[in-house]
Every structure is written in C-alpha cells, then in structure tokens.
Amino acid sequence: MSDHGTLNDHESLGSVRLRMLEEGQRLGLPREWLRRLPCDDPAPGAGPLQRRGMDRFLAWKRQEMLARHGRMDELSPELVAEALEEVAASDGPRRIRDAAERIMLALAWPKRTPGMRLHLLAAAEELRNCLRESPSMPLFTDLPGYWRATQEAVLRLDDTVRLRSDCPWPSLQSLLRDAERAAGHRPEPVA
C-alpha cells in the first residue's frame, strides 16, 4: 500500500476526517454515503493519532457496497472468506458457549437464590433456541472447556468453593435437563 493511507504523527482529528474521505473516494464508496460520515470538531486537547495501512472500516464498507451493487467480480475473496468465517465461527458457537457457561455457573454455585430460577430458565431457553436454529451445534461444543471457564469464574467469585475437576455433564441435553430440574421447570424434548 502507498503512503496515501498513513497519518503523520501530528495530524489533527479534522485532517483525519479529510484523509478518511479521500480514502473512501479512492476505494470508490458513494459520495452520498461519505457525506453522512460524522464531522465533529476535534475534542479540545486531543493528541496526535497514528494509523498504519488502509482504513479497515472503509475497506469493509467498500466490500459491502460492491456486493450490494452486484459487482461480485470486484470483491476481495480473502475479505469475503474472512467475513464468512467470522460469522460461522462466532454466531452459533459463541451463543451456545455463553448459554452453557451461564447454566454451569448457576448450577455450580453452592447457594441458591430466587433470581437463579429465572437465570437458569433464560439461559436454558437461549441454549434451546441455538439448538433449534442450528442442530449441528452440538458437534462444535466443548463442554470440558466450558466447565474449565466456569471453574475459573466460580473461583474468582469465591476461592473456597471446591468443584469437581471433570465436567459433570456429558451432553448439552443433560445440562439442559439439570438446569430445568434446578429451576423447577418440566423439561421439553430437544430435537
């Protein structure tokens, strides 16, 4: 990449906006879209900024505009693959992990509170929704890894609590069953 995308150490925020507009025009983003970018004055006392390489947001925005206008032959295969990989790797597995860890924490915590029932039911519903939306998700779960993260969370809250070393739940279904049982809710079958 040329020096066009770099900032000098002493450029102000106002000139950063000008560079951003120039970069956007160079990338071929529509002028109407560029005009809507924020144009706030620099904050008093704002120090120098540095940036290396191309503006990532504008590069991604260009890819989006190209795709929306059907100019698929101009898309960067690497950027498109990176975006698809991010969505595929993050959305389902992250939601499953978050819901499973919330359930594990509530079940592992030695004290029962009135809010725990709602917490367990909400986390169980989220886990159920994930499994309905993507039945393949159990193939990508790491219950022992989720259990290790839960153990660390419990120890951060109270280092006197002792938990078993291996994961007590062999499957997501068994985790759901225990969550609903602890919440006093009749379990629904998981597809």
Side-chain angles (χ1 to χ4, degrees):
M1 168 150 210
S2 71
D3 289 341
H4 180 66
T6 62
L7 292 175
N8 295 328
D9 290 347
H10 303 289
E11 282 189 290
S12 71
L13 289 174
S15 62
V16 169
R17 183 173 192 283
L18 291 176
R19 289 285 198 134
M20 182 176 59
L21 292 173
E22 289 173 5
E23 176 88 354
Q25 286 177 344
R26 187 182 69 73
L27 290 171
L29 293 170
R31 288 176 194 252
E32 305 81 48
W33 185 86
L34 290 170
R35 274 191 229 118
R36 291 192 313 250
L37 290 172
C39 57
D40 294 338
D41 292 329
L49 299 173
Q50 285 188 335
R51 189 189 73 174
R52 293 182 182 17
M54 181 185 295
D55 186 310
R56 289 182 49 84
F57 172 74
L58 293 177
W60 282 104
K61 197 64 184 171
R62 178 174 191 263
Q63 295 299 303
E64 176 196 346
M65 296 284 189
L66 289 171
R68 289 190 188 280
H69 289 95
R71 296 167 50 187
M72 303 306 214
D73 56 329
E74 297 177 48
L75 290 175
S76 165
E78 294 81 20
L79 288 178
V80 172
E82 187 179 324
L84 293 173
E85 179 183 33
E86 173 75 22
V87 171
S90 296
D91 187 43
R94 181 178 43 210
R95 286 176 56 208
I96 292 258
R97 183 193 68 230
D98 291 347
E101 286 179 7
R102 287 177 24 222
I103 292 170
M104 287 178 178
L105 180 65
L107 292 175
W109 193 247
K111 299 174 189 166
R112 298 291 179 241
T113 63
M116 184 180 294
R117 179 177 185 277
L118 293 176
H119 178 79
L120 281 170
L121 289 174
E125 186 60 29
E126 175 66 13
L127 185 56
R128 236 178 241 299
N129 287 339
C130 289
L131 294 172
R132 271 189 219 109
E133 291 171 12
S134 299
S136 64
M137 279 300 107
L139 300 173
F140 302 99
T141 58
D142 176 20
L143 288 175
Y146 305 162
W147 178 243
R148 283 189 299 278
T150 301
Q151 289 171 314
E152 291 171 10
V154 168
L155 290 175
R156 279 193 303 272
L157 294 171
D158 184 352
D159 62 357
T160 63
V161 175
R162 298 293 169 242
L163 300 173
R164 58 189 281 180
S165 59
D166 62 324
C167 181
W169 299 280
S171 68
L172 289 173
Q173 287 74 18
S174 65
L175 180 63
L176 277 170
R177 251 190 324 274
D178 286 355
E180 290 172 336
R181 191 173 301 128
H185 186 264
R186 199 172 76 232
E188 299 173 23
V190 177

